[in-house]
Amino acid sequence: MKLADRHRVAFGALARAPLRTAMLLLATAIGVAAVLVLTALGEAARVYIADEFQSLGTDLLVVMPGRTETSGAGAGMMSGATPRDITLDDARALLRSSAIATIAPLVVGESSVSVGSLERDVTIMGTTASYATIRHWTMASGEFLPDVDMDRESPVCVVGSTIGSELFRGEPPVGRWLRVGDRRCRVAGVLARQGISVMVDVDTVVMIPVAMAQSLFNSAGLFRVLIQARSRDVMPAAKRFVLATFRQRHHGEEDVTVITQDAVLQTFDGILGALTLALAGIAAISLLVAGVLIMNVMLVAVSQRTQEIGLLKALGARRSQVLALFLTEALYLALLGALAGVLAGFAGIWLLGNLYPAFTFRPPVWAVLGAVLLSMGCGMLFGILPARRAARLDPVAALARR
Amino acid sequence: MIVKVWPTVSPQSRSSPTPDAVAILRLEQLTRIFAVGDQFVRALDGVDLSIGTGEYISLMGPSGSGKSTLLNILGLLDRPTSGEYWLAGERTSTMNDDRLADTRQREIGFVFQFFHLIHRMTAVENVELPLMLAGVPMAERRARAHEVLRRMGLEARVDHRSNQLSGGERQRVAIARAVVMQPKILLADEPTGNLDSVSGGEVVKIVEALHDEGLTLVVVTHDQAIGSRAHRRLLMRDGKVVQDVSG
Ligand SMILES: Nc1ncnc2c1ncn2[C@@H]1O[C@H](COP(=O)(O)OP(=O)(O)OP(=O)(O)O)[C@@H](O)[C@H]1O
Ligand SMILES: [Mg+2]
């Protein structure tokens, strides 16, 4: 039997049972589309986070209190013992290294902020002028915090664009005064709008000098110290220097954690990569379900077409020919279903992209290829049982079936 | 009479065949036993039979006497439980599955009581099926199928599906399908059993015309009138051939 004929017969059989064919195509398509959409989601999350961290700069080190064995995001907060505070003096000591270009101490807390009778609870970030340099932040208007000694509590602040226009009812905030807790400060500038960056909504923060934040929250300890190395190459030297400095200042104890962009990125990458895989796995299960469905429907098809199989054998069809015919049918179902699924998947991804333009939705190539191959594999695997059953039918009994 | 030394088959003569022309089928002490639960049914109980090339044979007998069982074994759709069956001088018991299928394809045409057309295919596609299985290219097999259907008087029906055909037309399509590979033997199991007498008569005429061209013909029937037209009439009872009348 010619290959083209085998395909023609298989296709004819599928075309003549449109409902059955449509159901199977749908099942397979849903599975494949699910793989594409879910992996695209996972990838979007991964790329988004990676971009976020990339925007911080790759020459950045972050010091946080507490010792941890593993490097990575948030790891410092997981250690048990209460670590010694990182003080402003500690931070200042870091500037002695030639590997370090600049540092920015950071204190974070919540406080009420008010202008007249208008009051809001906002995130307060206490830092210095170099923070804007390190984060590459730009201003919508006015200036960032003044470049003065970090001990000084100059009564100035910088507001995020949203909180600025809320508090001042749309009037220009620069030069106006606002209340942070029990303190007053003059607005030096408004941050350019940039949305959520590294989990903080920049548009709704109020930034004040680090010393003011320390007394506002009544704590000498810093939340983080951001360090910009002079170049990527001196990052290891900078890190060694930071650790040595803290060991010396903290009586020989290495009770801080220094994380680099790479480490954070790798951790997130790892977590999100695993997430994408898990999503792909979940979607793959739906493909298996589709495979089982194909098997069941093919088994029904075999029993419905028992007479036809008996006839083919009476006409001289070999077992292998009958087997090939039914396998071709199953393969067709899988292939067409996969194609439909790829189309549907990309349509869904396009839709997601329009709904959430901030994210880049793109299914990884391995997921697309994998989904198509897996569905073909399922088609074959689950097609074999019915096809073998067909091939082994006893022609006399098959023909006698009414 | 059993011939021990089997002559090789020479090209069949297309002139009027004689009963003792070169034997094409030969059965020796053939039995077929079916197991039904813990019971055994002797559907064939020691059949000795020799059929010459170009013979026209009717096979009659009461229901359950083993006619279909015998025909299925002759057509290589079933294997005997014991005994030997030679087809065109070749022992069939040593053939493997593929060989049986190939032999079936080349040598044997089947016609069934219930036609067994594939409904989703047109008449000509049904007739093309054996050619397709044999790997004959599209253009050639379409031409051959058309030619055979034309000879069955069905040129106006080639593109009809089986549900658009009458019973008689369906059986003629089935006959066309059975002979399109130009087999040597045509086995028909109650080909008129599902037809009115007029259509049945047409079907008989067609298979007899095919026999006139040299086809060896074995027809199972319950119809005395049809059975008596054969040149050799076999009567079966309880799995045995109890009567074998020629002339
Ligand atoms: N697959 C089978 N399993 C069990 N018994 C069978 C099988 N096929 C046939 N038989 C039995 O073998 C015997 C002969 O059956 P067969 O079909 O050959 O009879 P038949 O002469 O063709 O009858 P009919 O005229 O009704 O078609 C019957 O008793 C039947 O019940
Ligand atoms: Mg019968």
Side-chain angles (χ1 to χ4, degrees):
Chain A
M1 189 168 188
K2 296 229 180 310
L3 198 64
D5 288 328
R6 193 210 295 166
H7 287 281
R8 193 171 298 126
V9 171
F11 197 78
L14 290 177
R16 277 266 129 192
L19 189 66
R20 171 181 82 99
T21 304
M23 294 305 289
L24 288 180
L25 289 183
L26 189 67
T28 313
I30 287 174
V32 171
V35 172
L36 263 57
V37 171
L38 289 181
T39 52
L41 275 175
E43 273 298 286
R46 199 182 63 73
V47 169
Y48 177 74
I49 301 241
D51 283 354
E52 280 293 287
F53 278 91
Q54 219 74 52
S55 75
L56 281 175
T58 49
D59 48 3
L60 190 73
L61 293 106
V62 178
V63 185
M64 53 178 149
R67 175 77 201 281
T68 169
E69 298 306 320
T70 58
S71 64
M77 289 172 279
M78 290 172 201
S79 56
T82 321
R84 199 184 301 258
D85 281 343
I86 299 176
T87 64
L88 277 183
D89 285 337
D90 291 338
R92 209 179 342 248
L94 299 175
L95 277 170
R96 291 201 315 263
S97 165
S98 59
I100 289 171
T102 180
I103 64 150
L106 183 63
V107 171
V108 176
E110 295 272 323
S111 173
S112 65
V113 169
S114 60
V115 173
S117 59
L118 254 182
E119 187 172 302
R120 289 275 186 284
D121 281 332
V122 301
T123 302
I124 305 289
M125 295 173 74
T127 185
T128 61
S130 31
Y131 192 85
T133 319
I134 293 176
R135 298 292 312 269
H136 308 295
W137 279 1
T138 52
M139 307 301 292
S141 59
E143 323 247 280
F144 197 65
L145 297 172
D147 191 4
V148 295
D149 190 86
M150 51 179 87
D151 285 328
R152 270 188 56 186
E153 290 190 41
S154 6
V156 287
C157 57
V158 169
V159 294
S161 56
T162 304
I163 193 69
S165 59
E166 266 182 42
L167 287 173
F168 297 100
R169 302 177 196 273
E171 287 174 35
V174 177
R176 306 278 299 271
W177 288 80
L178 57 74
R179 234 170 215 296
V180 181
D182 54 355
R183 276 139 224 279
R184 274 163 54 80
C185 59
R186 194 177 50 81
V187 177
V190 180
L191 293 169
R193 183 172 288 278
Q194 48 194 307
I196 298 171
S197 169
V198 197
M199 325 275 174
V200 176
D201 185 355
V202 177
D203 297 343
T204 63
V205 297
V206 170
M207 312 198 67
I208 57 178
V210 63
M212 187 195 284
Q214 280 179 316
S215 54
L216 179 69
F217 299 123
N218 194 25
S219 97
L222 298 175
F223 176 65
R224 297 283 187 272
V225 180
L226 275 60
I227 301 168
Q228 183 163 21
R230 289 217 181 269
S231 73
R232 246 193 108 102
D233 302 334
V234 297
M235 294 274 286
K239 182 173 179 175
R240 272 196 306 278
F241 177 80
V242 171
L243 287 175
T245 305
F246 276 98
R247 202 160 34 235
Q248 185 201 348
R249 296 180 61 88
H250 289 179
H251 309 288
E253 262 190 83
E254 196 173 292
D255 57 358
V256 295
T257 303
V258 179
I259 57 177
T260 57
Q261 277 313 302
D262 285 353
V264 177
L265 205 57
Q266 264 171 28
T267 307
F268 268 105
D269 236 33
I271 292 170
L272 292 166
L275 178 78
T276 304
L277 267 182
L279 289 174
I282 291 167
I285 290 172
S286 70
L287 264 182
L288 279 181
V289 172
V292 173
L293 205 68
I294 288 185
M295 176 169 73
N296 278 308
V297 177
M298 289 301 294
L299 281 174
V300 172
V302 167
S303 70
Q304 278 174 348
R305 276 152 60 192
T306 300
Q307 276 195 39
E308 177 183 328
I309 296 160
L311 172 78
L312 288 176
K313 292 196 153 188
L315 296 180
R318 291 179 168 201
R319 272 186 192 200
S320 53
Q321 286 181 314
V322 176
L323 187 84
L325 264 178
F326 277 83
L327 266 188
T328 306
E329 253 182 68
L331 212 59
Y332 249 120
L333 283 172
L335 188 68
L336 292 178
L339 287 182
V342 168
L343 289 182
F346 276 107
I349 287 164
W350 177 82
L351 207 68
L352 274 175
N354 277 355
L355 288 177
Y356 306 99
F359 295 88
T360 321
F361 294 102
R362 196 181 307 128
V365 177
W366 61 260
V368 179
L369 288 180
V372 172
L373 288 179
L374 187 65
S375 76
M376 306 263 299
C378 279
M380 281 297 264
L381 191 71
F382 292 107
I384 276 186
L385 186 71
R388 278 167 65 112
R389 180 168 296 185
R392 288 184 178 175
L393 277 178
D394 167 36
V396 175
L399 281 167
R401 264 278 286 277
R402 294 236 61 212
Chain B
M1 179 189 149
I2 297 159
V3 184
K4 289 294 177 202
V5 180
W6 202 244
T8 49
V9 180
S10 54
Q12 65 190 51
S13 77
R14 293 235 149 199
S15 57
S16 96
T18 56
D20 274 316
V22 181
I24 187 165
L25 307 173
R26 195 164 66 98
L27 308 178
E28 208 176 280
Q29 278 304 303
L30 205 79
T31 68
R32 178 66 169 102
I33 299 170
F34 292 107
V36 182
D38 52 1
Q39 299 257 306
F40 292 98
V41 179
R42 283 187 165 264
L44 294 180
D45 191 9
V47 173
D48 290 305
L49 187 63
S50 174
I51 297 176
T53 297
E55 278 199 275
Y56 175 9
I57 293 173
S58 69
L59 191 54
M60 300 187 67
S63 188
S65 55
K67 305 181 295 292
S68 295
T69 305
L70 181 58
L71 210 66
N72 288 335
I73 289 177
L74 290 179
L76 302 176
L77 285 178
D78 193 13
R79 287 176 184 267
T81 307
S82 68
E84 282 296 347
Y85 169 24
W86 279 270
L87 175 77
E90 196 177 349
R91 250 167 96 129
T92 59
S93 57
T94 56
M95 294 180 176
N96 66 18
D97 230 72
D98 283 350
R99 183 96 175 82
L100 286 175
D102 295 349
T103 310
R104 211 149 53 215
Q105 181 173 77
R106 270 201 324 273
E107 313 278 354
I108 296 157
F110 271 106
V111 178
F112 308 95
Q113 179 178 356
F114 296 107
F115 325 133
H116 287 304
L117 298 183
I118 295 182
H119 301 306
R120 64 172 187 275
M121 297 182 178
T122 61
V124 69
E125 284 169 343
N126 268 287
V127 177
E128 278 180 55
L129 260 179
L131 297 165
M132 189 164 82
L133 288 169
V136 176
M138 178 78 159
E140 184 191 337
R141 67 173 189 248
R142 182 120 310 181
R144 277 170 70 175
H146 269 287
E147 167 62 16
V148 179
L149 279 170
R150 197 186 54 72
R151 289 186 46 199
M152 301 291 148
L154 290 170
E155 54 267 74
R157 294 278 181 270
V158 286
D159 291 325
H160 287 52
R161 292 187 198 285
S162 73
N163 57 8
Q164 298 165 319
L165 299 174
S166 73
E169 286 168 335
R170 289 183 203 188
Q171 194 60 301
R172 271 141 68 198
V173 172
I175 294 169
R177 182 181 61 193
V179 298
V180 73
M181 288 291 289
Q182 299 178 311
K184 297 193 185 73
I185 305 150
L186 184 67
L187 305 173
D189 196 347
E190 300 186 38
T192 61
N194 221 26
L195 300 178
D196 60 73
S197 58
V198 177
S199 317
E202 285 173 13
V203 163
V204 170
K205 239 190 268 162
I206 285 173
V207 293
E208 286 183 351
L210 290 164
H211 163 254
D212 288 341
E213 294 173 16
L215 201 65
T216 308
L217 187 58
V218 182
V219 181
V220 170
T221 182
H222 282 285
D223 187 329
Q224 194 64 49
I226 292 172
S228 59
R229 295 174 64 89
H231 303 154
R232 183 175 167 197
R233 297 168 295 281
L234 303 178
L235 182 65
M236 290 193 70
R237 183 163 292 137
D238 296 333
K240 289 188 172 75
V241 176
V242 293
Q243 222 181 75
D244 185 345
V245 187
S246 296

